[in-house]
Structures are given as structure tokens and as C-alpha cells.
Amino acid sequence: MKQMKLWVMAATLTVSGLSMLTGCKEANAQSDEPVLSVQTTELIRTSQSWDGVELPDYFQGRPELVAVKYVFPAGQKLGWHHHPVMNYGILVQGELTIIGKDGKTKVVHEGEPVVEMVNTIHHGENRGTKPVVLYMFYLSQKDLPLAVQHPEIPLE
């Protein structure tokens, strides 16, 4: 139970940190006035992935938190894959289209958060004209892969 509380605290701190950074950026973008206090904007609070499926329970054991910055050139397609661990993030530039093997599609726009599917095969595409910059945060454990590729499934 103590480990689960640590995971929840780590996830909350990560979201809070992103919220503070985003809130300050938005305040600066809207005005030439300096930001004089910390501002927060909650971007998302959910227990479901973007396709509406409930997230799994936490693992037992020691958590490993991983943060990854992805940059996808315009026109880039990722191969089919699935994530064995929960992950979420924020798209800071561009537009990313995520397509589930079942045909469900989600377009994530600049500044929006996304909670990825867990153990569900999907892929992503940058259909826009500028690079996608995406920060993702994984709630994992040592030696677990963040993603499992499925090269046997061709992209269309």
C-alpha cells in the first residue's frame, strides 16, 4: 500500500509540475507582464486512456518513473506497438494522430494532454507540417519495456 501511495504522489507531482510550467507559459504568452506568482492549470485527471478504457491497477513492487521527449518529423509514422505500462504526457508542438488497431482514432493538438492505451495495439502518425514534440511519463518497473513493437503488422 505504501508503494501505491508513492506512485500516486509521483504521478501527482509530475502532473502538477507540468501544470505549473504550462500555466506560467500561458500567462506569459497572453501578456507582456511578468508572472509574479505560481499559477497552475490542471490539464487532465482521469482513470481512463484516451479511448475510454479503464487503466489497470498499479504493479506491486518498486516503481520506476521514466520521462521521455519524443520528436516526430512531419509525415513520420510509428509502427504498431503496445505499452505494457501506464503512460501519459503532453504534446507541446504539432499535432499527433493515434490510431488503435480497432480503428479508434485520437488527434492530440498542441498543448493537450494524452493518456495512452495500455496493452492495446496502436500506432501514431504526424500528419501535420511541423515536427511533433511530445513529453511522455511512464509509470513502470525496472526491466519492463516502455513499448513492445509489432513489426508483423504492416502500416497502411
PDB file of all heavy atoms in Angstrom, residues 39-73:
ATOM      1  N   GLN A  39       1.280  29.872 -11.011  1.00  0.00           N
ATOM      2  CA  GLN A  39      -0.072  29.643 -11.496  1.00  0.00           C
ATOM      3  C   GLN A  39      -0.184  28.189 -11.917  1.00  0.00           C
ATOM      4  O   GLN A  39       0.746  27.647 -12.504  1.00  0.00           O
ATOM      5  CB  GLN A  39      -0.366  30.557 -12.682  1.00  0.00           C
ATOM      6  CG  GLN A  39      -0.269  32.017 -12.335  1.00  0.00           C
ATOM      7  CD  GLN A  39      -0.478  32.902 -13.544  1.00  0.00           C
ATOM      8  OE1 GLN A  39      -0.891  32.456 -14.599  1.00  0.00           O
ATOM      9  NE2 GLN A  39      -0.191  34.178 -13.379  1.00  0.00           N
ATOM     10  N   THR A  40      -1.285  27.563 -11.628  1.00  0.00           N
ATOM     11  CA  THR A  40      -1.468  26.170 -12.012  1.00  0.00           C
ATOM     12  C   THR A  40      -2.714  26.020 -12.871  1.00  0.00           C
ATOM     13  O   THR A  40      -3.701  26.735 -12.695  1.00  0.00           O
ATOM     14  CB  THR A  40      -1.596  25.243 -10.783  1.00  0.00           C
ATOM     15  OG1 THR A  40      -2.772  25.578 -10.064  1.00  0.00           O
ATOM     16  CG2 THR A  40      -0.376  25.338  -9.881  1.00  0.00           C
ATOM     17  N   THR A  41      -2.626  25.077 -13.793  1.00  0.00           N
ATOM     18  CA  THR A  41      -3.747  24.714 -14.634  1.00  0.00           C
ATOM     19  C   THR A  41      -3.759  23.193 -14.710  1.00  0.00           C
ATOM     20  O   THR A  41      -2.819  22.600 -15.218  1.00  0.00           O
ATOM     21  CB  THR A  41      -3.590  25.289 -16.058  1.00  0.00           C
ATOM     22  OG1 THR A  41      -3.454  26.702 -15.983  1.00  0.00           O
ATOM     23  CG2 THR A  41      -4.774  24.912 -16.928  1.00  0.00           C
ATOM     24  N   GLU A  42      -4.788  22.576 -14.153  1.00  0.00           N
ATOM     25  CA  GLU A  42      -4.873  21.120 -14.234  1.00  0.00           C
ATOM     26  C   GLU A  42      -5.218  20.756 -15.667  1.00  0.00           C
ATOM     27  O   GLU A  42      -6.228  21.199 -16.203  1.00  0.00           O
ATOM     28  CB  GLU A  42      -5.920  20.581 -13.270  1.00  0.00           C
ATOM     29  CG  GLU A  42      -5.927  19.070 -13.244  1.00  0.00           C
ATOM     30  CD  GLU A  42      -6.794  18.506 -12.143  1.00  0.00           C
ATOM     31  OE1 GLU A  42      -6.424  18.653 -10.959  1.00  0.00           O
ATOM     32  OE2 GLU A  42      -7.847  17.946 -12.465  1.00  0.00           O
ATOM     33  N   LEU A  43      -4.378  19.939 -16.290  1.00  0.00           N
ATOM     34  CA  LEU A  43      -4.567  19.578 -17.685  1.00  0.00           C
ATOM     35  C   LEU A  43      -5.470  18.374 -17.858  1.00  0.00           C
ATOM     36  O   LEU A  43      -6.223  18.283 -18.826  1.00  0.00           O
ATOM     37  CB  LEU A  43      -3.211  19.315 -18.340  1.00  0.00           C
ATOM     38  CG  LEU A  43      -2.245  20.500 -18.310  1.00  0.00           C
ATOM     39  CD1 LEU A  43      -0.904  20.097 -18.896  1.00  0.00           C
ATOM     40  CD2 LEU A  43      -2.830  21.691 -19.043  1.00  0.00           C
ATOM     41  N   ILE A  44      -5.384  17.436 -16.937  1.00  0.00           N
ATOM     42  CA  ILE A  44      -6.231  16.240 -17.031  1.00  0.00           C
ATOM     43  C   ILE A  44      -6.217  15.523 -15.690  1.00  0.00           C
ATOM     44  O   ILE A  44      -5.236  15.573 -14.956  1.00  0.00           O
ATOM     45  CB  ILE A  44      -5.748  15.298 -18.162  1.00  0.00           C
ATOM     46  CG1 ILE A  44      -6.804  14.226 -18.469  1.00  0.00           C
ATOM     47  CG2 ILE A  44      -4.402  14.683 -17.834  1.00  0.00           C
ATOM     48  CD1 ILE A  44      -6.544  13.472 -19.758  1.00  0.00           C
ATOM     49  N   ARG A  45      -7.325  14.873 -15.367  1.00  0.00           N
ATOM     50  CA  ARG A  45      -7.433  13.988 -14.209  1.00  0.00           C
ATOM     51  C   ARG A  45      -8.371  12.876 -14.648  1.00  0.00           C
ATOM     52  O   ARG A  45      -9.555  13.126 -14.911  1.00  0.00           O
ATOM     53  CB  ARG A  45      -8.003  14.714 -13.001  1.00  0.00           C
ATOM     54  CG  ARG A  45      -8.109  13.818 -11.765  1.00  0.00           C
ATOM     55  CD  ARG A  45      -8.750  14.552 -10.610  1.00  0.00           C
ATOM     56  NE  ARG A  45      -7.966  15.716 -10.234  1.00  0.00           N
ATOM     57  CZ  ARG A  45      -7.312  15.833  -9.082  1.00  0.00           C
ATOM     58  NH1 ARG A  45      -7.362  14.857  -8.203  1.00  0.00           N
ATOM     59  NH2 ARG A  45      -6.637  16.927  -8.817  1.00  0.00           N
ATOM     60  N   THR A  46      -7.848  11.675 -14.782  1.00  0.00           N
ATOM     61  CA  THR A  46      -8.646  10.587 -15.326  1.00  0.00           C
ATOM     62  C   THR A  46      -8.118   9.240 -14.871  1.00  0.00           C
ATOM     63  O   THR A  46      -6.969   9.125 -14.452  1.00  0.00           O
ATOM     64  CB  THR A  46      -8.658  10.643 -16.873  1.00  0.00           C
ATOM     65  OG1 THR A  46      -9.554   9.639 -17.366  1.00  0.00           O
ATOM     66  CG2 THR A  46      -7.275  10.426 -17.452  1.00  0.00           C
ATOM     67  N   SER A  47      -8.941   8.238 -14.963  1.00  0.00           N
ATOM     68  CA  SER A  47      -8.518   6.858 -14.718  1.00  0.00           C
ATOM     69  C   SER A  47      -8.766   6.026 -15.978  1.00  0.00           C
ATOM     70  O   SER A  47      -8.863   4.807 -15.925  1.00  0.00           O
ATOM     71  CB  SER A  47      -9.278   6.266 -13.526  1.00  0.00           C
ATOM     72  OG  SER A  47     -10.668   6.310 -13.767  1.00  0.00           O
ATOM     73  N   GLN A  48      -8.866   6.730 -17.128  1.00  0.00           N
ATOM     74  CA  GLN A  48      -9.096   6.056 -18.404  1.00  0.00           C
ATOM     75  C   GLN A  48      -8.071   6.522 -19.433  1.00  0.00           C
ATOM     76  O   GLN A  48      -7.626   7.666 -19.398  1.00  0.00           O
ATOM     77  CB  GLN A  48     -10.485   6.382 -18.946  1.00  0.00           C
ATOM     78  CG  GLN A  48     -11.613   5.941 -18.068  1.00  0.00           C
ATOM     79  CD  GLN A  48     -12.968   6.351 -18.633  1.00  0.00           C
ATOM     80  OE1 GLN A  48     -13.066   7.237 -19.472  1.00  0.00           O
ATOM     81  NE2 GLN A  48     -14.014   5.685 -18.172  1.00  0.00           N
ATOM     82  N   SER A  49      -7.759   5.635 -20.377  1.00  0.00           N
ATOM     83  CA  SER A  49      -6.924   6.038 -21.505  1.00  0.00           C
ATOM     84  C   SER A  49      -7.794   6.824 -22.495  1.00  0.00           C
ATOM     85  O   SER A  49      -9.009   6.927 -22.323  1.00  0.00           O
ATOM     86  CB  SER A  49      -6.286   4.818 -22.177  1.00  0.00           C
ATOM     87  OG  SER A  49      -7.271   3.896 -22.592  1.00  0.00           O
ATOM     88  N   TRP A  50      -7.170   7.380 -23.539  1.00  0.00           N
ATOM     89  CA  TRP A  50      -7.893   8.251 -24.479  1.00  0.00           C
ATOM     90  C   TRP A  50      -9.059   7.571 -25.164  1.00  0.00           C
ATOM     91  O   TRP A  50      -9.992   8.219 -25.611  1.00  0.00           O
ATOM     92  CB  TRP A  50      -6.937   8.861 -25.513  1.00  0.00           C
ATOM     93  CG  TRP A  50      -6.290   7.886 -26.449  1.00  0.00           C
ATOM     94  CD1 TRP A  50      -5.030   7.365 -26.343  1.00  0.00           C
ATOM     95  CD2 TRP A  50      -6.839   7.327 -27.640  1.00  0.00           C
ATOM     96  NE1 TRP A  50      -4.758   6.514 -27.380  1.00  0.00           N
ATOM     97  CE2 TRP A  50      -5.866   6.474 -28.197  1.00  0.00           C
ATOM     98  CE3 TRP A  50      -8.057   7.453 -28.298  1.00  0.00           C
ATOM     99  CZ2 TRP A  50      -6.074   5.753 -29.376  1.00  0.00           C
ATOM    100  CZ3 TRP A  50      -8.262   6.732 -29.478  1.00  0.00           C
ATOM    101  CH2 TRP A  50      -7.275   5.906 -29.993  1.00  0.00           C
ATOM    102  N   ASP A  51      -9.034   6.229 -25.240  1.00  0.00           N
ATOM    103  CA  ASP A  51     -10.120   5.505 -25.904  1.00  0.00           C
ATOM    104  C   ASP A  51     -11.247   5.114 -24.951  1.00  0.00           C
ATOM    105  O   ASP A  51     -12.155   4.391 -25.326  1.00  0.00           O
ATOM    106  CB  ASP A  51      -9.573   4.271 -26.622  1.00  0.00           C
ATOM    107  CG  ASP A  51      -8.928   3.269 -25.681  1.00  0.00           C
ATOM    108  OD1 ASP A  51      -8.545   3.650 -24.552  1.00  0.00           O
ATOM    109  OD2 ASP A  51      -8.789   2.104 -26.076  1.00  0.00           O
ATOM    110  N   GLY A  52     -11.183   5.597 -23.688  1.00  0.00           N
ATOM    111  CA  GLY A  52     -12.252   5.347 -22.732  1.00  0.00           C
ATOM    112  C   GLY A  52     -12.115   4.085 -21.917  1.00  0.00           C
ATOM    113  O   GLY A  52     -12.975   3.778 -21.098  1.00  0.00           O
ATOM    114  N   VAL A  53     -11.025   3.332 -22.098  1.00  0.00           N
ATOM    115  CA  VAL A  53     -10.803   2.085 -21.363  1.00  0.00           C
ATOM    116  C   VAL A  53     -10.188   2.410 -19.995  1.00  0.00           C
ATOM    117  O   VAL A  53      -9.290   3.249 -19.894  1.00  0.00           O
ATOM    118  CB  VAL A  53      -9.890   1.133 -22.167  1.00  0.00           C
ATOM    119  CG1 VAL A  53      -9.542  -0.107 -21.366  1.00  0.00           C
ATOM    120  CG2 VAL A  53     -10.568   0.759 -23.487  1.00  0.00           C
ATOM    121  N   GLU A  54     -10.682   1.737 -18.948  1.00  0.00           N
ATOM    122  CA  GLU A  54     -10.145   1.931 -17.600  1.00  0.00           C
ATOM    123  C   GLU A  54      -8.675   1.519 -17.552  1.00  0.00           C
ATOM    124  O   GLU A  54      -8.293   0.496 -18.123  1.00  0.00           O
ATOM    125  CB  GLU A  54     -10.927   1.109 -16.573  1.00  0.00           C
ATOM    126  CG  GLU A  54     -12.326   1.621 -16.313  1.00  0.00           C
ATOM    127  CD  GLU A  54     -12.336   2.963 -15.584  1.00  0.00           C
ATOM    128  OE1 GLU A  54     -11.537   3.160 -14.654  1.00  0.00           O
ATOM    129  OE2 GLU A  54     -13.162   3.810 -15.964  1.00  0.00           O
ATOM    130  N   LEU A  55      -7.857   2.311 -16.863  1.00  0.00           N
ATOM    131  CA  LEU A  55      -6.453   1.966 -16.682  1.00  0.00           C
ATOM    132  C   LEU A  55      -6.325   0.797 -15.714  1.00  0.00           C
ATOM    133  O   LEU A  55      -7.170   0.626 -14.825  1.00  0.00           O
ATOM    134  CB  LEU A  55      -5.682   3.173 -16.141  1.00  0.00           C
ATOM    135  CG  LEU A  55      -5.579   4.358 -17.107  1.00  0.00           C
ATOM    136  CD1 LEU A  55      -5.001   5.572 -16.395  1.00  0.00           C
ATOM    137  CD2 LEU A  55      -4.742   3.992 -18.319  1.00  0.00           C
ATOM    138  N   PRO A  56      -5.263  -0.011 -15.859  1.00  0.00           N
ATOM    139  CA  PRO A  56      -5.085  -1.155 -14.953  1.00  0.00           C
ATOM    140  C   PRO A  56      -4.652  -0.698 -13.564  1.00  0.00           C
ATOM    141  O   PRO A  56      -4.234   0.445 -13.371  1.00  0.00           O
ATOM    142  CB  PRO A  56      -3.965  -1.955 -15.635  1.00  0.00           C
ATOM    143  CG  PRO A  56      -3.202  -0.951 -16.415  1.00  0.00           C
ATOM    144  CD  PRO A  56      -4.207   0.075 -16.858  1.00  0.00           C
ATOM    145  N   ASP A  57      -4.726  -1.610 -12.607  1.00  0.00           N
ATOM    146  CA  ASP A  57      -4.223  -1.334 -11.266  1.00  0.00           C
ATOM    147  C   ASP A  57      -2.709  -1.198 -11.320  1.00  0.00           C
ATOM    148  O   ASP A  57      -2.053  -1.716 -12.230  1.00  0.00           O
ATOM    149  CB  ASP A  57      -4.596  -2.466 -10.309  1.00  0.00           C
ATOM    150  CG  ASP A  57      -6.100  -2.507 -10.022  1.00  0.00           C
ATOM    151  OD1 ASP A  57      -6.759  -1.460 -10.169  1.00  0.00           O
ATOM    152  OD2 ASP A  57      -6.596  -3.580  -9.668  1.00  0.00           O
ATOM    153  N   TYR A  58      -2.155  -0.539 -10.324  1.00  0.00           N
ATOM    154  CA  TYR A  58      -0.707  -0.400 -10.225  1.00  0.00           C
ATOM    155  C   TYR A  58      -0.042  -1.753 -10.031  1.00  0.00           C
ATOM    156  O   TYR A  58      -0.629  -2.679  -9.471  1.00  0.00           O
ATOM    157  CB  TYR A  58      -0.335   0.482  -9.032  1.00  0.00           C
ATOM    158  CG  TYR A  58      -0.570   1.945  -9.253  1.00  0.00           C
ATOM    159  CD1 TYR A  58      -1.549   2.613  -8.534  1.00  0.00           C
ATOM    160  CD2 TYR A  58       0.190   2.664 -10.158  1.00  0.00           C
ATOM    161  CE1 TYR A  58      -1.764   3.967  -8.720  1.00  0.00           C
ATOM    162  CE2 TYR A  58      -0.022   4.015 -10.359  1.00  0.00           C
ATOM    163  CZ  TYR A  58      -0.990   4.659  -9.635  1.00  0.00           C
ATOM    164  OH  TYR A  58      -1.196   5.990  -9.812  1.00  0.00           O
ATOM    165  N   PHE A  59       1.221  -1.819 -10.458  1.00  0.00           N
ATOM    166  CA  PHE A  59       2.037  -3.003 -10.203  1.00  0.00           C
ATOM    167  C   PHE A  59       2.354  -3.095  -8.713  1.00  0.00           C
ATOM    168  O   PHE A  59       2.325  -2.101  -8.005  1.00  0.00           O
ATOM    169  CB  PHE A  59       3.396  -2.888 -10.931  1.00  0.00           C
ATOM    170  CG  PHE A  59       3.305  -2.902 -12.422  1.00  0.00           C
ATOM    171  CD1 PHE A  59       3.690  -1.783 -13.152  1.00  0.00           C
ATOM    172  CD2 PHE A  59       2.870  -4.019 -13.106  1.00  0.00           C
ATOM    173  CE1 PHE A  59       3.637  -1.783 -14.534  1.00  0.00           C
ATOM    174  CE2 PHE A  59       2.812  -4.028 -14.485  1.00  0.00           C
ATOM    175  CZ  PHE A  59       3.197  -2.907 -15.197  1.00  0.00           C
ATOM    176  N   GLN A  60       2.705  -4.292  -8.287  1.00  0.00           N
ATOM    177  CA  GLN A  60       3.274  -4.480  -6.962  1.00  0.00           C
ATOM    178  C   GLN A  60       4.782  -4.372  -7.122  1.00  0.00           C
ATOM    179  O   GLN A  60       5.337  -4.794  -8.121  1.00  0.00           O
ATOM    180  CB  GLN A  60       2.899  -5.852  -6.399  1.00  0.00           C
ATOM    181  CG  GLN A  60       1.414  -6.008  -6.132  1.00  0.00           C
ATOM    182  CD  GLN A  60       0.929  -5.082  -5.028  1.00  0.00           C
ATOM    183  OE1 GLN A  60       1.577  -4.901  -4.018  1.00  0.00           O
ATOM    184  NE2 GLN A  60      -0.226  -4.462  -5.247  1.00  0.00           N
ATOM    185  N   GLY A  61       5.452  -3.811  -6.146  1.00  0.00           N
ATOM    186  CA  GLY A  61       6.907  -3.712  -6.219  1.00  0.00           C
ATOM    187  C   GLY A  61       7.370  -2.277  -6.413  1.00  0.00           C
ATOM    188  O   GLY A  61       6.572  -1.338  -6.437  1.00  0.00           O
ATOM    189  N   ARG A  62       8.672  -2.124  -6.581  1.00  0.00           N
ATOM    190  CA  ARG A  62       9.292  -0.805  -6.678  1.00  0.00           C
ATOM    191  C   ARG A  62       8.994  -0.152  -8.025  1.00  0.00           C
ATOM    192  O   ARG A  62       9.235  -0.734  -9.070  1.00  0.00           O
ATOM    193  CB  ARG A  62      10.796  -0.929  -6.502  1.00  0.00           C
ATOM    194  CG  ARG A  62      11.510   0.423  -6.525  1.00  0.00           C
ATOM    195  CD  ARG A  62      12.972   0.311  -6.194  1.00  0.00           C
ATOM    196  NE  ARG A  62      13.219  -0.288  -4.899  1.00  0.00           N
ATOM    197  CZ  ARG A  62      13.111   0.341  -3.716  1.00  0.00           C
ATOM    198  NH1 ARG A  62      12.739   1.606  -3.689  1.00  0.00           N
ATOM    199  NH2 ARG A  62      13.373  -0.278  -2.604  1.00  0.00           N
ATOM    200  N   PRO A  63       8.503   1.083  -8.010  1.00  0.00           N
ATOM    201  CA  PRO A  63       8.218   1.775  -9.262  1.00  0.00           C
ATOM    202  C   PRO A  63       9.481   2.325  -9.909  1.00  0.00           C
ATOM    203  O   PRO A  63      10.487   2.569  -9.243  1.00  0.00           O
ATOM    204  CB  PRO A  63       7.307   2.925  -8.826  1.00  0.00           C
ATOM    205  CG  PRO A  63       7.711   3.199  -7.417  1.00  0.00           C
ATOM    206  CD  PRO A  63       8.104   1.864  -6.839  1.00  0.00           C
ATOM    207  N   GLU A  64       9.415   2.491 -11.198  1.00  0.00           N
ATOM    208  CA  GLU A  64      10.454   3.187 -11.958  1.00  0.00           C
ATOM    209  C   GLU A  64       9.729   4.201 -12.832  1.00  0.00           C
ATOM    210  O   GLU A  64       8.964   3.826 -13.716  1.00  0.00           O
ATOM    211  CB  GLU A  64      11.261   2.214 -12.813  1.00  0.00           C
ATOM    212  CG  GLU A  64      12.384   2.899 -13.564  1.00  0.00           C
ATOM    213  CD  GLU A  64      13.258   1.914 -14.307  1.00  0.00           C
ATOM    214  OE1 GLU A  64      12.765   1.314 -15.290  1.00  0.00           O
ATOM    215  OE2 GLU A  64      14.413   1.726 -13.901  1.00  0.00           O
ATOM    216  N   LEU A  65       9.944   5.476 -12.561  1.00  0.00           N
ATOM    217  CA  LEU A  65       9.309   6.539 -13.321  1.00  0.00           C
ATOM    218  C   LEU A  65      10.253   6.957 -14.430  1.00  0.00           C
ATOM    219  O   LEU A  65      11.444   7.160 -14.202  1.00  0.00           O
ATOM    220  CB  LEU A  65       8.992   7.725 -12.414  1.00  0.00           C
ATOM    221  CG  LEU A  65       8.154   7.385 -11.178  1.00  0.00           C
ATOM    222  CD1 LEU A  65       7.946   8.621 -10.325  1.00  0.00           C
ATOM    223  CD2 LEU A  65       6.831   6.765 -11.580  1.00  0.00           C
ATOM    224  N   VAL A  66       9.731   7.066 -15.645  1.00  0.00           N
ATOM    225  CA  VAL A  66      10.552   7.395 -16.812  1.00  0.00           C
ATOM    226  C   VAL A  66       9.896   8.556 -17.547  1.00  0.00           C
ATOM    227  O   VAL A  66       8.687   8.529 -17.802  1.00  0.00           O
ATOM    228  CB  VAL A  66      10.671   6.177 -17.767  1.00  0.00           C
ATOM    229  CG1 VAL A  66      11.572   6.504 -18.945  1.00  0.00           C
ATOM    230  CG2 VAL A  66      11.162   4.937 -17.027  1.00  0.00           C
ATOM    231  N   ALA A  67      10.691   9.564 -17.893  1.00  0.00           N
ATOM    232  CA  ALA A  67      10.215  10.693 -18.697  1.00  0.00           C
ATOM    233  C   ALA A  67      10.970  10.677 -20.016  1.00  0.00           C
ATOM    234  O   ALA A  67      12.199  10.539 -20.030  1.00  0.00           O
ATOM    235  CB  ALA A  67      10.449  12.010 -17.964  1.00  0.00           C
ATOM    236  N   VAL A  68      10.248  10.788 -21.139  1.00  0.00           N
ATOM    237  CA  VAL A  68      10.860  10.726 -22.466  1.00  0.00           C
ATOM    238  C   VAL A  68      10.340  11.875 -23.324  1.00  0.00           C
ATOM    239  O   VAL A  68       9.136  12.140 -23.346  1.00  0.00           O
ATOM    240  CB  VAL A  68      10.533   9.382 -23.166  1.00  0.00           C
ATOM    241  CG1 VAL A  68      11.149   9.327 -24.553  1.00  0.00           C
ATOM    242  CG2 VAL A  68      11.002   8.198 -22.327  1.00  0.00           C
ATOM    243  N   LYS A  69      11.262  12.530 -24.024  1.00  0.00           N
ATOM    244  CA  LYS A  69      10.891  13.547 -25.003  1.00  0.00           C
ATOM    245  C   LYS A  69      10.961  12.892 -26.380  1.00  0.00           C
ATOM    246  O   LYS A  69      11.993  12.322 -26.749  1.00  0.00           O
ATOM    247  CB  LYS A  69      11.851  14.733 -24.945  1.00  0.00           C
ATOM    248  CG  LYS A  69      11.583  15.773 -26.021  1.00  0.00           C
ATOM    249  CD  LYS A  69      12.635  16.878 -25.984  1.00  0.00           C
ATOM    250  CE  LYS A  69      12.406  17.888 -27.083  1.00  0.00           C
ATOM    251  NZ  LYS A  69      13.467  18.928 -27.063  1.00  0.00           N
ATOM    252  N   TYR A  70       9.876  12.962 -27.132  1.00  0.00           N
ATOM    253  CA  TYR A  70       9.829  12.426 -28.490  1.00  0.00           C
ATOM    254  C   TYR A  70       9.717  13.589 -29.475  1.00  0.00           C
ATOM    255  O   TYR A  70       8.975  14.543 -29.232  1.00  0.00           O
ATOM    256  CB  TYR A  70       8.602  11.527 -28.686  1.00  0.00           C
ATOM    257  CG  TYR A  70       8.626  10.260 -27.871  1.00  0.00           C
ATOM    258  CD1 TYR A  70       7.970  10.178 -26.654  1.00  0.00           C
ATOM    259  CD2 TYR A  70       9.303   9.133 -28.339  1.00  0.00           C
ATOM    260  CE1 TYR A  70       7.983   9.006 -25.906  1.00  0.00           C
ATOM    261  CE2 TYR A  70       9.322   7.960 -27.593  1.00  0.00           C
ATOM    262  CZ  TYR A  70       8.656   7.903 -26.376  1.00  0.00           C
ATOM    263  OH  TYR A  70       8.675   6.753 -25.650  1.00  0.00           O
ATOM    264  N   VAL A  71      10.424  13.479 -30.592  1.00  0.00           N
ATOM    265  CA  VAL A  71      10.298  14.439 -31.682  1.00  0.00           C
ATOM    266  C   VAL A  71      10.003  13.634 -32.944  1.00  0.00           C
ATOM    267  O   VAL A  71      10.787  12.763 -33.323  1.00  0.00           O
ATOM    268  CB  VAL A  71      11.580  15.278 -31.866  1.00  0.00           C
ATOM    269  CG1 VAL A  71      11.422  16.243 -33.027  1.00  0.00           C
ATOM    270  CG2 VAL A  71      11.918  16.030 -30.578  1.00  0.00           C
ATOM    271  N   PHE A  72       8.842  13.897 -33.561  1.00  0.00           N
ATOM    272  CA  PHE A  72       8.402  13.188 -34.757  1.00  0.00           C
ATOM    273  C   PHE A  72       8.414  14.155 -35.930  1.00  0.00           C
ATOM    274  O   PHE A  72       7.648  15.123 -35.936  1.00  0.00           O
ATOM    275  CB  PHE A  72       6.964  12.670 -34.615  1.00  0.00           C
ATOM    276  CG  PHE A  72       6.741  11.726 -33.471  1.00  0.00           C
ATOM    277  CD1 PHE A  72       6.476  12.211 -32.198  1.00  0.00           C
ATOM    278  CD2 PHE A  72       6.778  10.363 -33.671  1.00  0.00           C
ATOM    279  CE1 PHE A  72       6.250  11.357 -31.143  1.00  0.00           C
ATOM    280  CE2 PHE A  72       6.555   9.494 -32.619  1.00  0.00           C
ATOM    281  CZ  PHE A  72       6.295   9.992 -31.355  1.00  0.00           C
ATOM    282  N   PRO A  73       9.249  13.909 -36.943  1.00  0.00           N
ATOM    283  CA  PRO A  73       9.230  14.788 -38.124  1.00  0.00           C
ATOM    284  C   PRO A  73       7.864  14.750 -38.823  1.00  0.00           C
ATOM    285  O   PRO A  73       7.116  13.775 -38.690  1.00  0.00           O
ATOM    286  CB  PRO A  73      10.302  14.192 -39.033  1.00  0.00           C
ATOM    287  CG  PRO A  73      11.142  13.334 -38.147  1.00  0.00           C
ATOM    288  CD  PRO A  73      10.240  12.851 -37.048  1.00  0.00           C
TER     289      PRO A  73
END
